[in-house]
Amino acid sequence: GGGGGGGSLVNRWFSPADVDECADGLTCPDSECVNTLGSYRCLPCPAGYRVRDRKCADVNECLNTTICGTTGLCNNTEGSYRCDCNRGYRLRADGRQCTDINECLEGDFCAPYGECLNSEGSYHCLCAEGFTTSGDLSTCLDVDECRGRAACQNGLCLNTVGTYECTCEAGFRANEERTTCTDVDECEEYRTACGSQRCENSPGSYRCIPDCGPGYRLSHAQRCVDVDECANATVCGSFAYCQNMAGSYRCHCDQGYRQVYDGAGCVDVDECELMEGVCGSAVCDNVPGSFFCLCRDDDQEYNPRTAECTQRHSPAQGRPPGGSPGQRKECYYDLNDVELCENVLAPNVTREECCCTVGKGWGSDCRIQQCPEAGSDGYQSLCPHGLGYISGPQTSFGRDYRDADECELFGFEVCKNGVCVNTSPGYACYCPTGYYFDAVRLECTDHDECEAPDTCFDGVCTNTIGSYFCSCHPPLILDITLGRCVANTSSLFGVHLAMCWQEVGQNLLCNRPFLGRQTTYTECCCQYGEAWGMDCALCPIRNTDDYNDLCNYLLPAVREDDGYPYGLEYESYGLPYAPDSGPSVDGPNYAER
């Protein structure tokens, strides 16, 4: 054989056996050896291959861990390798290294509600206000502000793209961005909302509070109630009692006293000087608040009926018939009542205490002994000292009787619903305004003012407990006296503006004022309400002839020169809601002090 790539001269007539030069390991040390007939060839290994065991074998480039850098994964291939890039990277042009992809330059990522910011191997979104990034930070999602937060307090929250809107409750108003509800100060924006009353703003509403006049105060229930000046026991001074009145009070002097001219108090009346000869032949002795008639002879007693001193009766003569002295039973009044057994003044009084005062019968368990008639012998025997006096131990003045204190004996029963004041003799029952004292029933009874023929002239009188009120048949209204109904045909109702009431409640009380503006009587009755004006003039009932006659005169158009709409339609710019249940002004309230 020969070396290199050369050959040798061969005897054409002799062919020796071929030598495999590649079997020698030193042949082609850096190449692949290929034996040929009579020779061999050294073939260099292509790129990506290396001689191993005299053959070209693939080189595993991936054994070099940095060959694809830190952002790619090496995959070996025959004679080469491939870099598979991580997400967010791509191969360079040489195909051997991975480089970051700038996603923000290659698409509308994060649009339209955010800005794309590139990062190594990725990107993230910087979202606009009202948006938030998704879990993988790859897009902007709308924030539902109405969920899980106190948005639109005092209103209804409506989510929109990138923001939200508030629909506010009555009494609240949305800001320019419609993202919050703020309270409307009705008292500031609608100065006439409460008319002559004081307006007090509250969250979402307002209240009309009356300025209570002298003698009244505002209660916890926001009502003007009467001040009971008589609660001050010293308001009338000594020897006087106080009578509370609606918005005021009155001082009455005790029996036997009179008021001084300057009104500063009560002084004793000297009956002996004022009523000359009041005791007849007896001696008049003035005492504080009263006087005594004293007989000069101790064996005599004064008879107030004859104004004379007469001889005293023996004990046998003075014993009243019908019961032993000191025996106590029930005292009855109004024996003509079908329920007379219930008419008990007191359960434990003597017959003298009963019949010599206000009683009409005396007994037990409705077994009643009628009291003797005044002026009869029986009455004179039972009540020798006259009505309002009962027997008692002899005093230092020589009299053996005393004034009966009916208020103490019978308590509430003798002056029901009133104030009982003892007098000598008898008692006085003071009733509240609008009541009168029924001497048979012994109680303060409501005075029915409607029984008087001149009450509510041309109108309807409705009696109430302690008072009354007048109402008029439409189209009449009350005049300024509140006691006479007058026609509404005068020019006053064509041009005068007043409050329109949208509702007339029980007892003909006007409620829910129309707060848009003041109206004429015709406008109010034909368009908005049921009564008009501070006198609560009732509107005609709808679908009646009175209503049709009134409302057919409405003009169809708006006359701007009148300064207010005159037609059937106009734009309401007032408050769409009424105030809170507000305070009202009542007369004297005897239940609340």
Side-chain angles (χ1 to χ4, degrees), residues 209-291:
I209 301 176
D211 289 326
C212 299
Y216 291 89
R217 63 175 176 82
L218 197 63
S219 70
H220 295 297
Q222 298 298 299
R223 299 167 64 92
C224 284
V225 296
D226 175 54
V227 174
D228 185 3
E229 295 87 355
C230 298
N232 178 3
T234 63
V235 68
C236 288
S238 302
F239 312 118
Y241 63 92
C242 179
Q243 178 191 5
N244 188 55
M245 302 174 64
S248 182
Y249 69 99
R250 181 179 298 167
C251 291
H252 299 274
C253 293
D254 291 341
Q255 182 77 19
Y257 292 85
R258 64 176 176 82
Q259 197 166 35
V260 296
Y261 294 113
D262 59 4
C266 296
V267 296
D268 176 54
V269 174
D270 189 346
E271 293 87 354
C272 298
E273 179 181 345
L274 184 65
M275 299 182 291
E276 186 177 354
V278 66
C279 290
S281 60
V283 177
C284 181
D285 181 22
N286 186 65
V287 295
S290 186
F291 67 98

Side-chain angles (χ1 to χ4, degrees), residues 178-205:
R178 300 188 64 80
T179 55
T180 186
C181 293
T182 57
D183 175 53
V184 176
D185 188 345
E186 296 85 356
C187 300
E188 182 66 26
E189 296 191 21
Y190 304 91
R191 297 297 182 89
T192 61
C194 288
S196 60
Q197 297 183 357
R198 178 167 58 90
C199 182
E200 182 179 280
N201 188 58
S202 60
S205 188

